[in-house]
Amino acid sequence: MKKKDENIKDSELKEKEKRREENNIKATIDYKKATSETSNACTTQELNGQFYQQETKKQRQQIQMIQNSNMHLVGEGLSSLNVRELKQLENKLERGITRIRSKKHEMILAETENLHKREIQLEQENASLRSKIAENERLRELSMMPAGGQEYSAIQQYLARNMLQLNMMEGGVPNSYHHQLPTDKVP
């Protein structure tokens, strides 16, 4: 029985040791994982920091270049430029002036065209108003005529309207309708 008890104790001890070893191995693995994750995280953070520092440096350099270029365009800080750089700056400015003048010319042409259209519109309105004034004058004259001249005035109105329409189609505006009307009276 002693042997059985010893075998049982031995097997229990072996199992305890095995569990301890497994626990030790598991603890070691967990420790390694935790350490490697921490070091990877630090490495990623360090890499991100370095990247942003480089980008910041590049952006500052670009800003400085743009500021210098703007100063040169307005004629400041030219003493640091050599002859070739001054010639390039001059060419750049001449191209810019050419584009500005071209754009200005386009805008003036467009404005001139709009004003011309407006002029035509105003001339048409003016012709329309003149015809209305002439019509009103003619009606006033007809209202003062004796009753026997109504036939003549009706023919006169008809002819005047037709001549007005014809003249407006041709682009002319009659100065007076009396020149266009027949002088013979209908009995």
Side-chain angles (χ1 to χ4, degrees), residues 135-185:
E135 183 73 25
N136 285 339
E137 286 177 3
R138 196 170 42 259
L139 291 174
R140 189 171 35 105
E141 287 175 7
L142 291 176
S143 67
M144 293 182 179
M145 284 185 144
Q150 287 182 356
E151 288 178 16
Y152 172 72
S153 68
I155 293 172
Q156 207 175 21
Q157 285 178 349
Y158 174 75
L159 290 175
R161 271 189 245 123
N162 287 342
M163 292 303 281
L164 175 65
Q165 290 174 355
L166 182 62
N167 282 335
M168 288 185 74
M169 291 168 88
E170 292 175 355
V173 178
N175 290 333
S176 172
Y177 289 102
H178 299 290
H179 296 142
Q180 299 168 357
L181 299 175
T183 55
D184 296 334
K185 288 190 176 182

Side-chain angles (χ1 to χ4, degrees), residues 13 25 82 88 94 122 142 187:
L13 284 174
I25 292 172
N82 62 34
Q88 288 175 344
E94 286 175 356
L122 289 173
L142 291 176

Side-chain angles (χ1 to χ4, degrees), residues 5-176:
D5 285 337
E6 283 180 14
N7 281 339
I8 291 176
K9 283 184 182 181
D10 278 341
S11 64
E12 285 177 3
L13 284 174
K14 284 181 183 179
E15 278 185 42
K16 281 183 183 180
E17 257 185 64
K18 190 176 180 182
R19 279 189 224 143
R20 256 190 268 157
E21 283 179 19
E22 285 176 358
N23 285 339
N24 283 340
I25 292 172
K26 189 174 182 181
T28 305
I29 291 172
D30 290 342
Y31 173 76
K32 288 289 184 179
K33 281 183 182 178
T35 340
S36 69
E37 286 175 5
T38 306
S39 66
N40 284 343
C42 290
T43 305
T44 305
Q45 288 175 353
E46 289 172 3
L47 290 175
N48 284 339
Q50 290 173 359
F51 171 77
Y52 289 124
Q53 285 175 350
Q54 290 172 352
E55 284 299 310
T56 303
K57 185 178 179 181
K58 286 179 190 177
Q59 294 295 322
R60 283 189 183 137
Q61 289 172 347
Q62 286 179 343
I63 290 169
Q64 186 63 41
M65 286 174 44
I66 291 170
Q67 287 174 340
N68 289 341
S69 176
N70 285 343
M71 283 177 41
H72 295 153
L73 289 173
V74 295
E76 298 174 0
L78 299 177
S79 60
S80 64
L81 300 177
N82 62 34
V83 176
R84 185 177 63 84
E85 291 170 332
L86 287 171
K87 185 64 178 170
Q88 288 175 344
L89 180 61
E90 182 181 24
N91 291 337
K92 187 177 183 180
L93 288 170
E94 286 175 356
R95 285 190 305 270
I97 288 172
T98 302
R99 285 192 298 265
I100 290 169
R101 287 182 179 152
S102 174
K103 182 63 176 177
K104 183 177 83 172
H105 183 69
E106 286 176 22
M107 292 175 77
I108 288 172
L109 286 178
E111 184 65 24
T112 303
E113 186 178 321
N114 287 338
L115 289 173
H116 182 67
K117 288 178 182 177
R118 180 71 176 142
E119 178 186 17
I120 291 170
Q121 179 186 8
L122 289 173
E123 286 175 353
Q124 290 173 348
E125 288 177 18
N126 192 11
S128 174
L129 290 173
R130 283 185 183 184
S131 70
K132 287 180 182 179
I133 289 171
E135 183 73 25
N136 285 339
E137 286 177 3
R138 196 170 42 259
L139 291 174
R140 189 171 35 105
E141 287 175 7
L142 291 176
S143 67
M144 293 182 179
M145 284 185 144
Q150 287 182 356
E151 288 178 16
Y152 172 72
S153 68
I155 293 172
Q156 207 175 21
Q157 285 178 349
Y158 174 75
L159 290 175
R161 271 189 245 123
N162 287 342
M163 292 303 281
L164 175 65
Q165 290 174 355
L166 182 62
N167 282 335
M168 288 185 74
M169 291 168 88
E170 292 175 355
V173 178
N175 290 333
S176 172

